[in-house]
Amino acid sequence: MPKQRSIESNIARLSLISNLILMGLLIISLLVSDISQWLILLIGVLSSLLVLWTTQQIKQRLTYQSKSQANLLEALICGDYSLRARRFPNDHGVSPLTNTINQLAERLSKQRWQSVESQLLVQTILEHIDIAILALDKHHCITLYNPAAEHLFGQSISHAQASLPKSLHIAKSLKCGAREVIELKVHDQLTKFSLQVEQYKDSGQTNKLLLISNVHTILRTEQQHAWQHLIRVISHEINNSLSPISSISQTLCKVIGKQPPYPQQNQLISSLQLIEKRASGLGTFIEGYQQIAKLPDPTLAPCVLSSLLKKCTTLFPDIRSDISPSCNITLNIDVIQFEQVLINVFKNACEATPTETQTHIDIHCYQTPKKIHITLTDNGLGVNNAENLFVPFYSTKAQGSGIGLVLCRQIIEAHQGRLSLENNPSRTGCILTIELPLQSSMS
């Protein structure tokens, strides 16, 4: 294939031909005229030199502008928007194209910086937002996994790649913009999450964006506030009625006791004393429920867990407890509230153990990257209705008030922790687990 001339060479060639034709006509005119041959020769030489020089200048400038524009366009294609084309002064023929290319480079450079800043903003939001965000491609593989998702599910993207897509299979059937409350097993516990599905395009492919937020804590908080409000209202109304009942019963007992003896006097006094006693008992009962509504914020202080456990076990001489050496750690907790939790747990363990069997509790501690876990395992009969364990006023015991475990969970959650109770899968009994954030541990 013959080598093609560049556009600069063609323009220079055309310029040279036209100038040579004009110069030839000039020389012919001079020859026809009565002019010295030496003068004609001199004019021809000077004209030839001038033609060659102008042709060379035209080619040089065109070549420079063409290569500059080609290099600039190539740089733009490669993503380098820092280069600019230089133009010659008074070069009005090529300047508009050069200026346009320079403006294009300036515009693309500005758009690139805006894109980089937007990406940094999105990246910052993804890293600091407390909503777990996952992106799934058409093969249902995770392509985006922000730190909130890693914290929520407690596993890196490599481990989540194998398990999470199967757990989130419901996302396949949800349309863009749909929202659903789902249950996922996280840290060996079923937890409720709000799942919202959106769509976005990446390289022409439509992918799904999953926004997952833990509504378990929100629902728990709202439920707790509702119970606290209910307890405050009920306590207020009942106390308003109990106070005059108790006071009038005492007054009537004194008045009747000062009267001369008459039939049924003792029976009447006994009945009034029973009314006063039951009113006082009901008042004490209501005060127990008010603990849930008036639980103060924890006052944190260093405490050796093993010492606190030994102190609590002395209150229950019938319990045989095995405290692991792993419990010899210092926690930053509210000692009084935490002691109340342990006392309630030991009391429930005793009540859940058959009378012919001695209560036995194994206590262990272990640490994960972000939490301290305290497990208490008893040898009782286990739980029958685990769904209602933490419902206020619910109790499976005849004399139970239904506030013990609720109060325990509220105390642990006030320490930014979590309390769970489940049946022991290996033998009879229950396993109560207290999870505290790692910053609670001081050693």
Side-chain angles (χ1 to χ4, degrees):
M1 181 176 180
K3 185 177 179 180
Q4 295 182 351
R5 293 188 180 93
S6 63
I7 187 172
E8 299 88 354
S9 299
N10 289 330
I11 293 176
R13 184 165 169 263
L14 291 174
S15 176
L16 179 61
I17 292 173
S18 61
N19 287 329
L20 289 175
I21 292 173
L22 292 175
M23 189 179 68
L25 293 175
L26 177 62
I27 293 173
I28 292 173
S29 299
L30 291 174
L31 290 174
V32 173
S33 303
D34 189 14
I35 299 176
S36 173
Q37 294 182 356
W38 292 104
L39 181 59
I40 295 173
L41 179 62
L42 178 61
I43 293 173
V45 171
L46 292 176
S47 299
S48 299
L49 293 175
L50 181 61
V51 168
L52 292 175
W53 181 81
T54 54
T55 303
Q56 179 64 26
Q57 288 297 313
I58 292 173
K59 181 179 180 181
Q60 182 179 352
R61 292 198 177 192
L62 287 175
T63 301
Y64 176 83
Q65 292 288 353
S66 178
K67 287 186 176 180
S68 297
Q69 294 167 2
N71 291 336
L72 182 57
L73 290 174
E74 185 177 358
L76 295 180
I77 293 173
C78 296
D80 184 2
Y81 306 138
S82 61
L83 298 181
R84 298 292 182 271
R86 184 173 67 89
R87 64 183 181 87
F88 290 102
N90 300 321
D91 191 1
H92 303 292
V94 189
S95 292
L97 178 59
T98 302
N99 292 336
T100 302
I101 296 177
N102 287 338
Q103 291 174 5
L104 176 61
E106 188 71 29
R107 179 71 177 271
L108 291 175
S109 178
K110 185 177 180 180
Q111 289 182 348
R112 165 182 270 187
W113 282 113
Q114 290 176 345
S115 176
V116 170
E117 291 171 354
S118 300
Q119 290 177 359
L120 289 176
L121 175 61
V122 172
Q123 186 66 28
T124 303
I125 294 174
L126 287 175
E127 290 179 355
H128 294 87
I129 196 171
D130 58 355
I131 297 177
I133 300 178
L134 291 83
L136 303 178
D137 60 14
K138 62 179 182 179
H139 302 295
H140 218 56
C141 295
I142 299 176
T143 57
L144 175 66
Y145 192 71
N146 72 332
E150 184 174 352
H151 174 73
L152 179 63
F153 298 109
Q155 50 187 337
S156 62
I157 186 172
S158 57
H159 292 87
Q161 194 71 259
S163 58
L164 274 184
K166 297 178 182 178
S167 304
L168 298 172
H169 62 86
I170 189 175
K172 295 181 179 179
S173 58
L174 294 179
K175 297 181 179 179
C176 179
R179 186 187 295 269
E180 190 82 16
V181 176
I182 62 173
E183 281 191 345
L184 295 177
K185 194 169 186 180
V186 179
H187 307 300
D188 297 328
Q189 293 180 346
L190 282 176
T191 307
K192 288 185 177 181
F193 295 94
S194 172
L195 172 64
Q196 183 174 352
V197 179
E198 300 292 343
Q199 289 183 348
Y200 73 100
K201 286 188 176 293
D202 184 19
S203 301
Q205 299 292 330
T206 301
N207 298 335
K208 285 193 175 182
L209 192 68
L210 309 184
L211 294 89
I212 306 173
S213 55
N214 189 345
V215 297
H216 186 81
T217 304
I218 299 175
L219 293 176
R220 179 77 56 78
T221 302
E222 293 298 324
Q223 182 189 51
Q224 180 178 314
H225 290 164
W227 282 115
Q228 288 175 344
H229 178 71
L230 177 62
I231 291 171
R232 281 195 293 266
V233 173
I234 292 177
S235 300
H236 177 73
E237 296 299 327
I238 293 179
N239 285 328
N240 286 344
S241 300
L242 289 179
S243 296
I245 291 174
S246 179
S247 177
I248 292 173
S249 299
Q250 292 178 1
T251 302
L252 289 176
C253 283
K254 292 178 181 179
V255 172
I256 294 175
K258 294 178 181 179
Q259 299 294 327
Y262 60 88
Q264 298 181 344
Q265 183 183 32
N266 292 335
Q267 183 179 358
L268 184 59
I269 292 176
S270 298
S271 299
L272 291 172
Q273 288 176 342
L274 178 62
I275 293 174
E276 191 274 332
K277 182 179 179 181
R278 293 307 305 155
S280 299
L282 185 57
T284 304
F285 180 77
I286 293 299
E287 288 179 1
Y289 283 109
Q290 286 179 326
Q291 292 181 2
I292 301 178
K294 297 181 179 180
L295 183 68
D297 294 333
T299 304
L300 305 181
C303 174
V304 179
L305 179 60
S306 57
S307 300
L308 183 61
L309 290 169
K310 291 176 182 178
K311 177 183 176 182
C312 294
T313 54
T314 57
L315 303 176
F316 300 89
D318 295 334
I319 292 180
R320 181 169 65 88
S321 59
D322 291 333
I323 302 175
S324 170
S326 60
C327 297
N328 190 25
I329 58 175
T330 301
L331 300 178
N332 201 29
I333 57 176
D334 187 311
V335 179
I336 296 177
Q337 292 185 6
F338 214 83
E339 185 178 14
Q340 183 63 48
V341 172
L342 295 175
I343 290 174
N344 282 340
V345 172
F346 292 155
K347 180 175 176 291
N348 286 343
C350 289
E351 294 174 349
T353 306
T355 54
E356 67 276 4
T357 306
Q358 183 183 16
T359 303
H360 181 204
I361 298 179
D362 291 323
I363 306 172
H364 295 272
C365 292
Y366 64 94
Q367 179 178 324
T368 56
K370 296 182 180 180
K371 294 183 179 180
I372 295 290
H373 299 256
I374 306 169
T375 60
L376 298 94
T377 306
D378 64 27
N379 61 336
L381 298 176
V383 294
N384 296 324
N385 195 349
E387 291 79 9
N388 296 321
L389 281 176
F390 297 100
V391 176
F393 313 136
Y394 175 83
S395 177
T396 58
K397 295 177 287 188
Q399 303 298 324
S401 61
I403 64 172
L405 283 176
V406 177
L407 181 62
C408 290
R409 187 180 67 176
Q410 188 173 344
I411 291 174
I412 297 302
E413 289 181 349
H415 285 74
Q416 307 302 318
R418 183 183 180 123
L419 184 143
S420 60
L421 181 66
E422 60 183 353
N423 287 319
N424 193 336
S426 58
R427 56 183 176 86
T428 58
C430 292
I431 301 177
L432 184 134
T433 303
I434 298 174
E435 301 176 7
L436 295 174
L438 190 59
Q439 57 266 28
S440 299
S441 174
M442 302 181 63
S443 64

